[in-house]
Amino acid sequence: MGSAVRQSQARAEPDPLQVTMKKGRVPLERALSKLGLASRTEARALVREGRVAVDGRPVTDPLFEVVPERARIEIDGHRAERPRPVTILLHKPRGVVTTRSDPEGRPTVYGCLEGLEAHVVPVGRLDAATSGLLLLTNDTRFADWITDPRNEVPRVYLVTVRGELSDDKAREGERQVAGSVTVRKRSKRETHLVIELTEGKNREIRRMLAALGHEVTKLKRVSFGGLELGELPPGEWREVTIEELRAAFERFGALPERLRAFPEW
């Protein structure tokens, strides 16, 4: 009985950070990240190096609480302000990882972003073996909105698997991933599919097809919401305009306020 009570209390114990954090306040490292000025890791280093001041006072604790909308944050003596929102569409090549740095030394998507000055982060991820459309942005509110499963923003993939995948298996795959699985063509050697999902779970397509007895040999994302990969070559990127973003995503529900409220972007 006592053990069960202790386990129940342990499960109910809230996150200490959430207990101490007052409403509207966030850790300084998170504020810098949410403003699109640095990654959480980079922000943490900036603060610890004494390069960040809040309301004129140097701060070296990355967990120092701030209200981003009210605090005057400076980096190296310069006012830290939210940069111009930038969203880009990258054709991620196969074999490239969706991270800033890789301990195994593999190439990363940031190696494809030559000439881009904005600090952007990936909107979701594509695994190393998957190619195709990857969005990166410095607008974290937009990124949170587009990846929220409640908005059901579709992602479309072209998939090739070993062996002949039957219609019955395609229907079973649809039930497993709560999406659509369409057979484009098939032979004894391989089957070509179009799969549409409304949530980007890690390796979901590969796991589903493996459970059906088929190995994925090629996986490419060709659209995200109303944005299409088109003829953009692998490794190349282009900026997506605010007009494109509105046209591509407004059909899936209420856009984030920032997309509606700033027509001059």
Side-chain angles (χ1 to χ4, degrees):
M1 178 67 175
S3 175
V5 171
R6 286 194 296 272
Q7 290 177 4
S8 176
Q9 290 174 340
R11 286 195 297 269
E13 183 177 352
D15 183 345
L17 184 61
Q18 296 300 320
V19 170
T20 59
M21 193 73 66
K22 296 179 181 178
K23 186 176 181 180
R25 294 178 175 270
V26 298
L28 180 55
E29 63 178 22
R30 183 181 179 192
L32 291 171
S33 175
K34 288 294 184 182
L35 287 170
L37 299 169
S39 68
R40 290 286 285 270
T41 301
E42 292 168 339
R44 193 174 301 124
L46 286 171
V47 176
R48 286 175 174 166
E49 291 168 6
R51 298 170 59 186
V52 180
V54 177
D55 296 330
R57 182 165 62 93
V59 175
T60 57
D61 180 4
L63 298 181
F64 180 81
E65 298 177 18
V66 298
V67 179
E69 294 79 9
R70 299 178 184 175
R72 180 185 178 88
I73 302 175
E74 297 178 340
I75 301 176
D76 295 333
H78 300 285
R79 180 74 178 267
E81 297 181 353
R82 188 184 296 274
R84 178 182 72 87
V86 173
T87 298
I88 68 165
L89 188 160
L90 169 70
H91 185 163
K92 188 189 92 65
R94 188 172 181 176
V96 173
V97 294
T98 310
T99 185
R100 185 168 292 277
S101 60
D102 181 65
E104 299 178 24
R106 294 172 296 180
T108 78
V109 293
Y110 288 92
C112 302
L113 305 184
E114 183 178 354
L116 180 67
E117 296 182 359
H119 175 87
V120 294
V121 295
V123 180
R125 294 179 181 274
L126 295 177
D127 65 43
T130 300
S131 64
L133 191 159
L134 179 68
L135 294 179
L136 298 98
T137 186
N138 63 359
D139 188 340
T140 53
R141 292 183 184 177
F142 169 63
D144 291 343
W145 178 85
I146 195 176
T147 54
D148 188 333
R150 293 173 297 181
N151 294 318
E152 297 186 337
V153 179
R155 296 93 157 143
V156 177
Y157 302 82
L158 300 183
V159 189
T160 304
V161 299
R162 296 190 190 280
E164 185 174 5
L165 189 142
S166 67
D167 291 336
D168 287 343
K169 283 189 175 181
R171 286 190 289 270
E172 174 60 25
E174 290 182 331
R175 288 190 289 270
Q176 288 188 27
V177 299
S180 67
V181 179
T182 304
V183 177
R184 295 169 60 206
K185 62 178 180 178
R186 61 186 157 209
S187 66
K188 295 293 184 182
R189 186 171 66 89
E190 63 183 17
T191 302
H192 298 259
L193 307 165
V194 178
I195 297 181
E196 179 177 309
L197 305 177
T198 55
E199 186 176 353
K201 294 181 180 178
N202 183 38
R203 300 182 68 84
E204 182 176 24
I205 291 176
R206 296 181 187 277
R207 292 199 307 269
M208 176 270 287
L209 291 166
L212 296 176
H214 294 270
E215 178 189 359
V216 173
T217 59
K218 186 176 181 181
L219 179 55
K220 180 179 182 180
R221 183 158 68 190
V222 294
S223 73
F224 198 154
L227 291 176
E228 303 284 343
L229 182 62
E231 300 300 321
L232 189 67
E236 297 294 319
W237 63 271
R238 68 174 183 84
E239 185 169 350
V240 184
T241 67
I242 186 64
E243 292 79 15
E244 281 185 278
L245 290 176
R246 286 179 179 143
F249 296 106
E250 61 185 358
R251 75 186 75 168
F252 304 110
L255 289 170
E257 182 179 354
R258 293 185 63 191
L259 284 182
R260 303 192 309 267
F262 294 86
E264 70 272 17
W265 287 359

